[in-house]
Amino acid sequence: MTQRLPPSLTPLDTALAALLQGVDPVAPMDVPLADAIGCIAAGAPLLAAYPSRDVAAVDGWALSANDLVGASAYSPVPLAMAPAWVEAGEALPAGCDCVLDADAVETSGPLAQVLAEGAPGQGVRRAGSDITARRAVGDAGHPIRAADLLLARVAGGDKLAVRRPRLRIVNVPGGTVAAQTIAGIAHTAGLDVETHPARARDAASIADALDASSCDVLLTIGGSGVGRQDAAIAALARRGEVMAHGLALQPGRTAAVGRLGRVPVVALPGSPDSALAAWLALALPLADRLSARRPRRKVSLPLARKIASSVGITEIALLAEEHRAWMPLAVGEWPLQAIARADAWLLISASDEGFAAGTPIDAYLMRA
C-alpha cells in the first residue's frame, strides 16, 4: 500500500517536541585526540602550567640582565665566566633571565664580553605563559577545535573526554547522494557515524536495516514520500512508532519522526535539499541534545532585501553574507547552487509572513 500523508500536516514545533521528549545527553567517553575534533567537550582534564619553568624562546646566550647594564659595541662588558648557550625550548640556567643573539657576545679564548644590553624576559618564554595552571582543554558543551588539540598535545595528553552520540544512517536505495551529504555533515558535527544500505526500497527490506541496538539516534534517508516505491515510514511503523509524518516544513514536508524502543528516529527525504532542511530543523537539535551542546551561536545582520513567507508553514531560508548584510538566496525551495553558496540559515516561524528589508535577522551559520 502506498504511503500517504495525513490530512493535516504536523507543526514543526510539535514534531520536534515529540522527538526530544525523554532524550538525555549520552555519557562522556574518552577518545584519542585525532578523533576528538568537532566533538562536544565534556569536562576536559585541567592542565599543568606550560612551560613548567622559564625556557629560551630563541637560540642564543643565556645571561642575567643585571650583568649587562651599559654594554655596547663601544663599551663591551666583560664576563667573569663564559655564558651558557641555549637552544629554543631549553630551560634557562639558574640566575639567567634573558637570551641574547649569537652576535651579542664576543668570545676570545677563555674570555667573553657582551656587546649589547638585555632586558629581563628578552628572548624568554616565561613559565606558564603558554598554558596557565589548571587550564581546561575546551569548554564543556562546546566543540573541540584544532587549537584545543594543540594545547592537549603540548601538555602531553593523548585523550579527551567528549560526548559523541552514535548515529546510524539507513540509506534507502535512491537516496545515496543525500545520505553521503548528511553523513559528512554529521561527522563534522562530532557524531560517530555508521551508514548501512537497505537491500531494496520495499518496507520489509528497510525494516530489516532498522537496527537501533548500537546507536543513540537513527536516520533513514529516502523513501519517506508518497511515491509508489516509498516505504520508509511503513517500515518504521513495523518496527517501532511513527509519531509524526508529514510536517508543516518547507523544504522537508515528507520528513517523519518516531521511535525504535527508546531510540529516536528521523526519516529524511531522499532529495538532498529536503534532507538537509530536515536535518537542520529536526536531527541537528536532537544531536545537540544528545551531546549536551550549548546553544548554537547566531549572527545578527540586516536583511539586504525582504523575505516573503507563507503563514502556516515553517520555512527555512538560505542566506549569504554580502556587504555586512544577509542576502536571501532561497526560501522554501532550495536550488543546489543556493545550498553551495549559503553562509547561514534562518528558520521562519509558521506565524510569520516574512521580514522587511533592513530588519535585523539572527541566523545560524551553516558551518558552525
Side-chain angles (χ1 to χ4, degrees):
M1 181 180 294
T2 303
Q3 292 177 165
R4 290 286 182 263
L5 296 179
S8 60
L9 299 176
T10 302
L12 175 64
D13 290 347
T14 302
L16 183 58
L19 181 66
L20 297 179
Q21 185 175 9
V23 174
D24 296 317
V26 300
M29 61 184 299
D30 291 335
V31 299
L33 297 184
D35 298 331
I37 193 163
C39 296
I40 305 304
L46 301 180
L47 303 178
Y50 182 88
S52 58
R53 55 181 296 184
D54 291 352
V55 300
V58 295
D59 304 328
W61 301 103
L63 295 158
S64 171
N66 284 339
D67 297 337
L68 313 178
V69 177
S72 71
Y74 300 102
S75 180
V77 172
L79 299 175
M81 56 185 300
W85 177 266
V86 290
E87 304 284 340
E90 290 184 347
L92 294 188
C96 296
D97 62 2
C98 64
V99 177
L100 299 190
D101 293 338
D103 57 4
V105 175
E106 187 177 82
T107 58
S108 179
L111 300 177
Q113 54 185 3
V114 183
L115 310 179
E117 289 187 307
Q122 179 179 335
V124 175
R125 183 159 282 174
R126 295 294 194 185
S129 61
D130 281 325
I131 303 175
T132 56
R134 301 186 61 76
R135 168 73 156 79
V137 179
D139 296 325
H142 292 279
I144 297 293
R145 306 166 302 161
D148 297 320
L149 300 184
L150 170 63
L151 295 185
R153 290 187 173 109
V154 166
D158 59 356
K159 291 185 178 181
L160 287 177
V162 301
R163 298 185 195 272
R164 193 182 189 194
R166 299 165 301 168
L167 169 64
R168 179 184 176 97
I169 295 177
V170 175
N171 177 19
V172 177
T176 300
V177 171
Q180 291 172 340
T181 300
I182 297 300
I185 294 172
H187 179 75
T188 302
L191 278 68
D192 183 4
V193 183
E194 290 186 357
T195 300
H196 298 267
R199 295 191 312 273
R201 291 182 61 89
D202 62 279
S205 298
I206 298 172
D208 286 344
L210 300 183
D211 180 5
S213 61
S214 60
C215 67
D216 302 300
V217 58
L218 187 145
L219 299 184
T220 64
I221 300 182
S224 69
V226 295
R228 293 181 178 179
Q229 294 184 323
D230 288 336
I233 311 306
L236 176 57
R238 286 190 182 192
R239 295 290 303 274
E241 175 189 5
V242 178
M243 297 185 296
H245 175 218
L247 308 183
L249 174 68
Q250 190 64 22
R253 184 172 65 100
T254 63
V257 297
R259 284 277 197 280
L260 281 177
R262 294 179 57 86
V263 175
V265 179
V266 182
L268 303 183
S271 61
D273 56 331
S274 294
L276 177 57
W279 164 267
L280 294 174
L282 293 165
L284 192 58
L286 175 60
D288 288 352
R289 172 73 64 86
L290 287 166
S291 57
R293 176 172 174 145
R294 298 286 180 85
R296 291 174 177 267
R297 183 172 67 91
K298 295 182 178 180
V299 175
S300 182
L301 292 173
L303 273 180
R305 67 170 186 239
K306 73 174 184 179
I307 290 178
S309 179
S310 303
V311 174
I313 299 288
T314 297
E315 294 188 292
I316 306 181
L318 297 178
L319 309 171
E321 182 181 350
E322 295 185 6
H323 309 296
R324 297 301 300 161
W326 288 132
M327 174 62 71
L329 299 176
V331 181
E333 300 292 339
W334 291 3
L336 296 186
Q337 61 187 6
I339 297 175
R341 284 189 57 199
D343 297 311
W345 59 281
L346 171 66
L347 200 66
I348 305 173
S349 170
S351 61
D352 286 329
E353 296 182 3
F355 305 96
T359 303
I361 293 296
D362 295 332
Y364 291 107
L365 297 180
M366 291 290 284
R367 298 166 185 86

